[in-house]
Amino acid sequence: MIPGLSAAIEIGARVFLRRVNADDESEFLVLMRASRRLHRPWVTPPMTPGAFEAYLQRVGQENAEGLLVCRREDGAIAGVINLNDIVRGALQSAYLGYYAGAPFAGHGYMTEGLQLVLRYAFTTLKLHRLEANIQPGNQASMSLVRGCGFRREGFSPRYLKIAGEWRDHERWAILVEDWLSSRAVERR
């Protein structure tokens, strides 16, 4: 039995998605500490037990989901994709935050994981729009979202405070209609 597979909310060819939980603390923190160099200066994931607990509380709210991208072969956490600030009503939208673990970067796990998140967000959660805000120099992140069908919508100066510094971001988004169209093209 693969650890965590029974809790999967979406399953792909090489990875599955599941919600983060308190039992993930040790593996999560070891992976994030080993990934500092990869993440700097783009993101500051939880790296201490206290920060992990705060993260669990944040993604445990109604308007957020903390999803782990796990390898099917062994259940290892390969990355994280968060749905933040989920807004219902007329907007039906959320912001994405994501990061890979350094040992798993560049192997396609996050691409497959993001594709599973799109399916989950647009079919199960019935969202209409997902937005990713990416620092201009983060080419790997831009390639990830571009490859999954996002389009660049604009530029936001000094948009997010990361590691104590206000940083510019490019705004990338995908609509459910775009996602459905790309799936129809893939099936041909």
Side-chain angles (χ1 to χ4, degrees):
M1 179 71 174
I2 298 166
L5 188 59
S6 63
I9 59 172
E10 291 287 343
I11 300 173
R14 298 186 319 136
V15 301
F16 62 92
L17 296 178
R18 67 174 178 82
R19 289 179 182 86
V20 64
N21 64 66
D23 294 336
D24 296 313
E25 181 177 337
S26 178
E27 181 182 358
F28 185 99
L29 293 177
V30 167
L31 181 61
M32 294 307 116
R33 289 175 186 144
S35 303
R36 284 182 182 146
R37 184 172 276 157
L38 174 67
H39 296 154
R40 211 175 270 137
W42 316 121
V43 66
T44 52
M47 296 229 215
T48 66
F52 183 78
E53 176 61 31
Y55 167 63
L56 283 181
Q57 288 178 3
R58 184 176 61 76
V59 298
Q61 303 296 310
E62 274 187 31
N63 68 339
E65 294 238 13
L67 304 172
L68 299 178
V69 177
C70 300
R71 292 193 312 182
R72 283 189 63 175
E73 67 185 75
D74 58 6
I77 299 169
V80 178
I81 303 178
N82 297 314
L83 292 166
N84 302 305
D85 300 320
I86 299 170
V87 178
R88 295 299 186 175
L91 197 54
Q92 295 295 337
S93 177
Y95 294 95
L96 288 177
Y98 49 85
Y99 37 93
F104 307 104
H107 296 281
Y109 298 127
M110 291 300 286
T111 299
E112 187 176 340
L114 183 52
Q115 291 165 345
L116 293 175
V117 167
L118 294 176
R119 182 167 69 199
Y120 174 67
F122 291 139
T123 61
T124 304
L125 297 181
K126 306 290 189 209
L127 296 180
H128 179 257
R129 172 189 168 87
L130 291 177
E131 184 173 314
N133 289 284
I134 303 166
Q135 293 176 59
N138 192 342
Q139 295 302 318
S141 186
M142 283 187 234
S143 292
L144 172 64
V145 297
R146 187 182 298 112
C148 288
F150 286 66
R151 69 174 175 273
R152 185 180 185 274
E153 291 188 330
F155 179 80
S156 302
R158 297 174 45 83
Y159 180 72
L160 286 173
K161 194 174 201 178
I162 298 174
E165 188 176 320
W166 288 103
R167 299 181 188 269
D168 298 342
H169 283 70
E170 291 185 11
R171 195 171 51 258
W172 291 76
I174 187 169
L175 304 177
V176 66
E177 297 89 353
D178 300 331
W179 178 74
L180 289 169
S181 293
S182 69
R183 290 179 49 88
V185 167
E186 289 170 9
R187 280 181 260 176
R188 288 186 198 159

